[in-house]
Amino acid sequence: MSLTMNSKGVARRSDFVAISAAMIVPTRLCGISLYVCDQEDGQYRLFRAPNVPITLEWVERLEQGRHRKLFVSTHEHQEFQRYLQENIKEMVADESIPTTQRFALLNEVVRGVLGKELNSSDLDASIAKTEEMGHHVVELVCRSNVISSELCKLLYHDFHTFTHVANVSYYCVMLAKECGITAPDELRKVAVGAMLHDLGKSEISGAILTKPGKLTDHEFRIIKTHPTIGFLRLSKRTDLSFGQLMMVYQHHEHLDGTGYPVQVSGSEIHPWARICAVADVFEALTSNRPYRAGMNKDDAFRIMDRQMGTFFDVEVYEQWKTLMQKH
Ligand SMILES: [Fe+2]
């Protein structure tokens, strides 16, 4: 393994990816070096060599100690992702791991999978993987002892499209449940529809998607094509339901008919698309952008109340507010 060293022989911050000690399942992780970051001098030091077995006792000691955060090298991060993906089914079902920790693990896996799959040209494989993730999301989000606003705190809030769709997916499942959709099969479809809702963005230039400041009319016209692009890519598939396709096609439509791409209104908008619309805007406002920090949820609700009051299905929006304000 080689890390890029600076002139003083110290590895750089960009050479490492932080992971939580909770992500380590004893006896399964091997072949990967684990590092800690020294708080005093900010240097990364080898904590566990790849050939040293990991025991439950060791993980417990780590969680109680001062090094709760571990690092893997960016070089080995893919290997770490593979380890998580191979073990996620078991970890999600493991009652001995607190639900919030299982959620953090799942979130890591979902982001990893979506980051890879959303840019893949093999749509069949991507959708199969997305469905597998949807299954885990519903399994975990539906556990009654988890508070939605607590789960939000565990999420990453960066500006990557895969982070956005992963978060929107958790939000949609929570919200759909609250709106009375309780059958696991339906919820799994909602989760997958949400993961696919911005698929069309993969064909739009990153320079436009992350542009700081106001978009030109031309750029905004390009952005507005993404629901149609995503819908056209998926519409011939027989493994997606009408509701899922509408999440992709209608998530930017507004109840008052001012949205896009078609400007349909009211009941012409599918209920799942209305759920996706609320989750989508809330996620976008509360996540960091390259040019601004994410808002707290009260500020996000203030903007959604004042500037978007007629955009959303009132009942769906009120359910979301109630859910997020529960402690
Ligand atoms: Fe979108």
Side-chain angles (χ1 to χ4, degrees):
M1 183 204 67
S2 68
L3 295 174
T4 318
M5 303 285 171
N6 68 13
S7 56
K8 289 178 184 157
V10 176
R12 297 176 313 194
R13 192 180 174 81
S14 60
D15 292 324
F16 296 93
V17 180
I19 61 167
S20 157
M23 289 181 191
I24 292 169
V25 176
T27 73
R28 286 183 178 269
L29 183 69
C30 54
I32 298 173
S33 307
L34 298 174
Y35 297 83
V36 287
C37 180
D38 196 302
Q39 307 214 323
E40 275 160 28
D41 61 12
Q43 288 196 20
Y44 294 85
R45 298 204 164 83
L46 183 65
F47 193 60
R48 201 78 179 176
N51 54 349
V52 180
I54 293 168
T55 62
L56 179 62
E57 212 182 11
W58 180 83
V59 174
E60 279 170 2
R61 255 209 321 267
L62 186 72
E63 282 177 350
Q64 286 153 10
R66 66 190 181 104
H67 291 305
R68 292 176 65 90
K69 213 178 221 181
L70 292 171
F71 296 83
V72 296
S73 71
T74 45
H75 179 74
E76 286 182 312
H77 190 237
Q78 234 178 348
E79 182 66 21
F80 181 68
Q81 267 287 337
R82 206 160 56 88
Y83 147 81
L84 286 180
Q85 283 183 37
E86 280 168 7
N87 290 284
I88 192 65
K89 195 172 172 203
E90 210 172 291
M91 294 191 285
V92 165
D94 188 344
E95 300 282 342
S96 69
I97 308 174
T99 312
T100 46
Q101 279 183 4
R102 278 183 275 165
F103 186 75
L105 282 162
L106 178 64
N107 188 31
E108 190 67 30
V109 173
V110 170
R111 287 173 74 254
V113 167
L114 294 180
K116 192 165 147 255
E117 298 296 340
L118 291 176
N119 289 315
S120 153
S121 52
D122 184 351
L123 203 52
D124 286 340
S126 301
I127 289 184
K129 217 51 192 153
T130 308
E131 274 171 1
E132 193 189 318
M133 292 301 109
H135 189 94
H136 296 318
V137 167
V138 172
E139 163 90 8
L140 208 48
V141 169
C142 290
R143 284 174 190 276
S144 54
N145 59 343
V146 186
I147 299 167
S148 307
S149 54
E150 287 300 308
L151 289 191
C152 291
K153 289 183 199 154
L154 297 170
L155 300 177
Y156 290 85
H157 292 288
D158 61 45
F159 58 90
H160 296 294
T161 298
F162 58 83
T163 307
H164 170 67
V165 294
N167 294 356
V168 170
S169 173
Y170 311 128
Y171 293 169
C172 280
V173 173
M174 294 172 200
L175 185 51
K177 219 175 121 219
E178 217 59 23
C179 293
I181 302 170
T182 51
D185 187 44
E186 294 287 281
L187 290 172
R188 278 195 286 273
K189 286 181 183 161
V190 168
V192 172
M195 286 179 198
L196 296 172
H197 83 277
D198 268 345
L199 186 75
K201 280 190 179 168
S202 58
E203 291 182 31
I204 293 177
S205 136
I208 297 180
L209 291 175
T210 57
K211 182 184 168 181
K214 211 172 168 346
L215 294 169
T216 64
D217 288 349
H218 175 65
E219 288 163 339
F220 194 42
R221 262 199 301 279
I222 292 174
I223 290 266
K224 281 162 124 181
T225 59
H226 79 269
T228 311
I229 295 173
F231 173 71
L232 290 175
R233 274 195 78 189
L234 299 169
S235 60
K236 299 252 162 50
R237 300 194 65 92
T238 52
D239 51 358
L240 295 176
S241 71
F242 181 67
Q244 288 175 306
L245 292 176
M246 288 306 104
M247 289 174 86
V248 178
Y249 195 39
Q250 295 186 324
H251 68 274
H252 286 291
E253 297 288 3
H254 299 157
L255 259 272
D256 62 6
T258 61
Y260 65 86
V262 183
Q263 297 201 319
V264 286
S265 62
S267 61
E268 292 172 301
I269 305 172
H270 192 282
W272 292 8
R274 298 184 211 175
I275 289 171
C276 193
V278 171
D280 183 30
V281 171
F282 180 82
E283 205 290 327
L285 292 175
T286 52
S287 284
N288 299 317
R289 288 286 176 273
Y291 46 89
R292 66 149 171 85
M295 289 174 199
N296 63 43
K297 64 179 190 293
D298 293 332
D299 288 343
F301 282 134
R302 219 163 284 137
I303 289 197
M304 289 169 87
D305 284 341
R306 286 187 195 155
Q307 297 174 18
M308 305 171 188
T310 57
F311 292 3
F312 305 118
D313 179 313
V314 177
E315 261 178 62
V316 173
Y317 179 50
E318 287 305 320
Q319 292 282 16
W320 182 244
K321 274 167 96 171
T322 312
L323 199 59
M324 281 299 107
Q325 276 150 7
K326 261 188 211 164
H327 293 293

